[in-house]
Amino acid sequence: MPEQQAWRPIDAGDETLRDALNEANIPALMTALVHLTGNADIIRGDIRPMENAFTDLQGAGIPPEQQQEIRDLAFDVIREFRDSGSQLPGIPDEATVQEMMNFISGHELENDYIDFLQSELSLQGESAFSQPAIELVEASQRENFSVLVIGAGMSGILAAIKLKEAGFTYTVVEKNPEVGGTWFENTYPGCRVDSPNHAYSYSFAPKDWPQYFSEQPVLLDYFKQVAEDNGIMDSIRFNTEVKRARFDEDTALWEVTIETPDGREVLFVNAVIAAVGQLNRPMIPDLTGLSTFAGPVFHSGYWEHDHNLTGKKIVVVGTGPSAFQFVPRIASDAAEVNVFQRTAPWVFPKPEYQAFIPEGKHWLLKNLPYYAHWYRFFVFWHTSEGMMKAAIRDPSWNDSRAVSKENDIIRQLLQANAKSIVGADPELFAKVIPDYPPAAKRMLIDNGAWYNALKRDNVNIITDPIKRVTEHGVETESGQTIEADVLIFGTGFHATKFLWPMEIVGRGGVDLRSHWGDDPRAYRGVTVPMYPNFFIMYGPNTNIVVNGSIIFFSECEMRYILGCLAVLLAGRHRTMEPRQAVHDAYNERIDAGNLAMAWGTETVNSWYKNASGRVTQNWPFSLWEFWEQSKSADPNDYEFT
Ligand SMILES: Cc1cc2nc3c(=O)[nH]c(=O)nc-3n(C[C@H](O)[C@H](O)[C@H](O)COP(=O)(O)OP(=O)(O)OC[C@H]3O[C@@H](n4cnc5c(N)ncnc54)[C@H](O)[C@@H]3O)c2cc1C
């Protein structure tokens, strides 16, 4: 019988129970009841979540009267459990756990998935991302092997924690004065995560989040706290930027030039992990006349908080995820907000997007045995893997507004949502409906704030391109003049310029950026031929469009990096780099995979693609497959010295 987790006895009164149950996610509640009673019949009846419950993360499409039936049952079961001493029967057997996973996901999961999802579910506290191979390497070897991590954002913090746990000598170099990366730099009004927080958190550091999608200060605190709790802060050199890293073929060391507050310094290390993110270098378009503008000009990634925007005429360039979040926040105080849009985003309705998690739900997450596990699993599935199907292109589909029947159903749903809010204004409605299929670009989620902001009298969406910036505003291609006191860019990042502006010099003195050109590629998103002992996190083809959170990917990548180091050190080699043929075959498969997805659609331009149209950013397959391929490093894939 698997080991049972320890739980505090339930001591809440009936009223607290009733209140809590009113907030319950019904499928997670039903599976928790199976744990409490040992009776799996609870999930065998006709009350079941719908297959794609991403639009209703609470009720999961279960009719209200059936939801109430479950709440009433739960009330009796939990009360009985409490009053009889809160003793759990054993964990359900494996077949029942599988049945519960099928129930939560809304369909029969394929066998391949079971291992993966079971460790993601972590009923017995198991880690989905452990790397047992590294334990087999002698401790002294690990200690004598030095690793430099570049960046202390989500990925760099993770790398440091895992290197420390594994007993490596490591240093982290961070250009900012703080950890957090994305969540340190992006402080614009309304900045928040748009992956559900119960999935956007490290698997080893769950948190009782205040909101389903928490705001930037909460995320920054979370990453700081995790770094502190895991004792890595003293190993981070802040305000220090890596300028150049050169591999020395004689010594097999990386010679890394850093710019510190006291000047330049050179470090020598056995391996480098670049954890500089895809979205760290803000991009401002090269607009004619920009330098002549008289007022403040800034990018959402470096919000200048000292400007009072009240009563100001503001021009915003871009309608991507950041503008989408800050425009509704600044619109109420500004005199006028003119938003320049190149392409409209698809907007997914999510009523709980800005909501706080109610007390009852906090109670359930903390106190009801196994509820939190199944809730995270529900969110994980329905906002990630469960969404993938709708993004796959059907070659026989011939309406360019969608890529398949499933995709078209989503398109209609999103269009109907837009119509319900802005439908009374046909001109605005026409502007907010994208002419490309859902999932060809990241869909934005919202509780109505964006469309409602666009309906305001002082907000306009302008689709006429900017011709030039003048001292007091902008001029459009069609000759319209728009006055502005402030110019704000929500124009994204230099995402396709991976690792830019660092100079990374590998074998033969070749700089990685010139080696890549505008076509970055890596093996498993992590290693590059000719760049020995060099590892990338959140590298080429590790970004996601519809499925999941980047933290999941980084946890997989770090497990794979430890697997590589295990192979390197166990074989007593000095260096490793992927075989060119293995790397190329992997990338061919990635390219074919991306072409089969909505974001690979030839007619759609996006930051996922380079100038020749190749998707350099995204992972095209399931989360399971990324997880599976990161389990271990195969020595046959590598060349060693
Ligand atoms: C506004 C915004 C919202 C987002 N929302 C989501 C979301 O909802 N879900 C999701 O999955 N992802 C989201 N992302 C993507 C997000 O970037 C990742 O989730 C995650 O934060 C990436 O972490 P990272 O550590 O890999 O990179 P980053 O967070 O970008 O951190 C990189 C770090 O490297 C440092 N650095 C860079 N160059 C150097 C150098 N040369 N020397 C020293 N230090 C250097 C930087 O200062 C930074 O601290 C969002 C991104 C943005 C910008």
Side-chain angles (χ1 to χ4, degrees):
M1 177 69 66
E3 218 173 284
Q4 189 76 264
Q5 272 188 252
W7 294 97
R8 267 182 316 172
I10 288 181
D11 56 9
D14 288 0
E15 206 179 321
T16 304
L17 289 186
R18 278 268 185 231
D19 289 349
L21 291 170
N22 284 335
E23 310 293 352
N25 167 288
I26 300 299
L29 180 61
M30 291 170 77
T31 39
L33 294 183
V34 176
H35 285 275
L36 256 55
T37 58
N39 178 7
D41 286 344
I42 292 167
I43 57 162
R44 289 178 182 144
D46 52 6
I47 304 184
R48 316 188 74 82
M50 64 181 168
E51 191 175 333
N52 294 321
F54 38 77
T55 49
D56 181 10
L57 289 182
Q58 305 317 308
I62 296 169
E65 59 288 357
Q66 291 190 330
Q67 293 190 27
Q68 194 51 46
E69 200 182 307
I70 296 299
R71 283 190 204 103
D72 292 341
L73 170 71
F75 180 70
D76 294 341
V77 167
I78 299 170
R79 220 164 43 152
E80 163 72 21
F81 176 73
R82 176 195 65 192
D83 298 342
S84 59
S86 301
Q87 287 301 313
L88 284 167
I91 282 192
D93 60 29
E94 199 154 319
T96 310
V97 171
Q98 282 185 27
E99 212 182 325
M100 292 157 86
M101 294 194 320
N102 286 341
F103 169 78
I104 287 277
S105 66
H107 71 261
E108 286 285 306
L109 293 165
E110 286 161 31
N111 270 345
D112 283 348
Y113 268 99
I114 301 293
D115 247 17
F116 162 50
L117 293 176
Q118 213 150 336
S119 52
E120 175 60 36
L121 180 61
S122 186
L123 284 184
Q124 294 157 61
E126 63 270 48
S127 163
F129 306 97
S130 66
Q131 183 46 274
I134 200 68
E135 309 296 331
L136 305 175
V137 174
E138 279 172 31
S140 62
Q141 264 186 298
R142 286 180 259 154
E143 203 180 306
N144 290 329
F145 192 89
S146 56
V147 185
L148 181 80
V149 179
I150 312 174
M154 175 276 289
S155 303
I157 293 171
L158 171 70
I161 292 171
K162 295 294 162 186
L163 289 168
K164 181 175 184 237
E165 272 171 19
F168 284 95
T169 297
Y170 72 95
T171 304
V172 185
V173 170
E174 168 54 59
K175 72 173 162 56
N176 292 334
E178 264 293 2
V179 299
T182 287
W183 304 107
F184 170 76
E185 291 183 9
N186 291 270
T187 61
Y188 59 80
C191 178
R192 57 171 7 105
V193 76
D194 61 8
S195 305
N197 256 150
H198 294 90
Y200 193 83
S201 33
Y202 297 117
S203 61
F204 55 87
K207 179 180 162 68
D208 187 14
W209 294 99
Q211 292 183 274
Y212 300 96
F213 302 88
S214 299
E215 295 207 45
Q216 170 268 335
V218 175
L219 287 150
L220 179 57
D221 275 356
Y222 171 76
F223 288 110
K224 271 193 211 165
Q225 195 63 51
V226 173
E228 273 164 22
D229 291 350
N230 287 276
I232 60 156
M233 290 296 264
D234 290 346
S235 307
I236 307 176
R237 295 185 61 173
F238 290 107
N239 299 308
T240 301
E241 180 165 358
V242 170
K243 294 291 181 187
R244 182 172 199 259
R246 185 187 74 88
F247 180 69
D248 183 325
E249 298 189 44
D250 296 329
T251 59
L253 294 175
W254 280 93
E255 180 193 295
V256 184
T257 307
I258 56 175
E259 186 82 55
T260 80
D262 304 320
R264 290 218 163 183
E265 207 180 300
V266 178
L267 308 174
F268 295 91
V269 288
N270 295 106
V272 172
I273 298 178
V276 298
Q278 291 190 7
L279 308 174
N280 187 250
R281 304 284 176 168
M283 208 263 298
I284 293 190
D286 190 14
L287 294 175
T288 308
L290 185 54
S291 60
T292 64
F293 185 70
V297 178
F298 55 91
H299 186 282
S300 56
Y302 290 117
W303 194 270
E304 295 184 3
H305 290 273
D306 40 353
H307 306 297
N308 182 356
L309 301 180
T310 306
K312 294 283 172 6
K313 290 182 179 163
I314 303 169
V315 159
V316 172
V317 184
T319 52
S322 299
F324 180 84
Q325 291 180 327
F326 72 72
V327 166
R329 290 293 176 100
I330 62 173
S332 48
D333 292 336
E336 205 173 88
V337 183
N338 288 299
V339 186
F340 279 83
Q341 169 180 284
R342 198 165 53 180
T343 49
W346 277 116
V347 177
F348 211 102
K350 193 75 81 178
E352 66 278 21
Y353 182 51
Q354 306 210 22
F356 281 82
I357 296 179
E359 248 338 284
K361 184 153 268 164
H362 284 298
W363 188 90
L364 290 166
L365 289 165
K366 274 195 276 203
N367 297 293
L368 185 62
Y370 296 104
Y371 176 87
H373 293 251
W374 288 104
Y375 179 66
R376 178 179 152 106
F377 183 79
F378 178 88
V379 170
F380 176 81
W381 179 268
H382 288 277
T383 61
S384 59
E385 237 42 349
M387 294 276 290
M388 271 297 262
K389 227 165 106 190
I392 298 173
R393 290 168 80 183
D394 173 355
S396 65
W397 185 262
N398 56 14
D399 177 346
S400 66
R401 295 174 305 169
V403 296
S404 67
K405 187 161 185 278
E406 278 95 344
N407 189 262
D408 197 50
I409 291 171
I410 305 248
R411 184 188 68 77
Q412 289 177 38
L413 186 143
L414 304 187
Q415 187 159 320
N417 173 56
K419 192 156 203 164
S420 72
I421 309 177
V422 301
D425 180 344
E427 200 186 324
L428 178 58
F429 179 65
K431 284 182 181 170
V432 301
I433 296 301
D435 58 0
Y436 57 85
K441 301 181 185 210
R442 192 172 172 86
M443 287 183 274
L444 305 179
I445 58 169
D446 198 15
N447 55 340
W450 170 249
Y451 289 144
N452 280 315
L454 302 187
K455 275 167 64 177
R456 295 176 62 97
D457 290 342
N458 66 336
V459 178
N460 302 301
I461 279 275
I462 303 174
T463 50
D464 193 8
I466 295 176
K467 184 175 175 204
R468 64 184 188 108
V469 180
T470 62
E471 195 182 345
H472 298 293
V474 295
E475 254 175 51
T476 69
E477 295 274 350
S478 68
Q480 210 185 341
T481 301
I482 312 280
E483 284 179 21
D485 304 313
V486 183
L487 198 47
I488 307 178
F489 287 92
T491 39
F493 300 84
H494 287 282
T496 47
K497 292 185 184 172
F498 282 89
L499 310 182
W500 181 77
M502 288 187 296
E503 203 186 330
I504 309 289
V505 182
R507 284 195 194 285
V510 178
D511 173 38
L512 183 53
R513 291 208 24 82
S514 53
H515 175 64
W516 271 341
D518 83 332
D519 193 10
R521 294 158 185 260
Y523 180 54
R524 304 205 167 177
V526 174
T527 53
V528 185
M530 309 283 285
Y531 294 80
N533 298 2
F534 186 80
F535 305 96
I536 309 171
M537 298 182 77
Y538 199 10
N541 296 108
T542 62
N543 188 54
I544 38 162
V545 187
V546 291
N547 53 339
S549 104
I550 298 297
I551 300 186
F552 172 88
F553 279 75
S554 290
E555 291 207 57
C556 290
E557 287 148 20
M558 197 51 214
R559 171 169 75 159
Y560 183 69
I561 292 170
L562 288 180
C564 287
L565 295 179
V567 167
L568 179 76
L569 296 182
R572 305 218 167 245
H573 308 293
R574 291 212 305 174
T575 68
M576 67 187 297
E577 65 207 89
R579 292 181 189 281
Q580 189 71 50
V582 171
H583 163 276
D584 293 351
Y586 174 85
N587 276 282
E588 260 176 48
R589 197 170 160 260
I590 290 278
D591 290 349
N594 273 321
L595 276 177
M597 302 305 293
W599 52 85
T601 307
E602 292 77 356
T603 48
V604 179
N605 285 325
S606 69
W607 64 270
Y608 308 140
K609 294 178 176 176
N610 66 10
S612 62
R614 176 177 174 264
V615 177
T616 52
Q617 314 295 123
N618 299 337
W619 170 251
F621 306 118
S622 66
L623 296 186
W624 166 76
E625 196 169 324
F626 199 76
W627 180 82
E628 187 69 19
Q629 74 168 23
S630 73
K631 267 183 174 166
S632 59
D634 181 348
N636 295 317
D637 293 348
Y638 283 87
E639 280 172 10
F640 299 93
T641 62

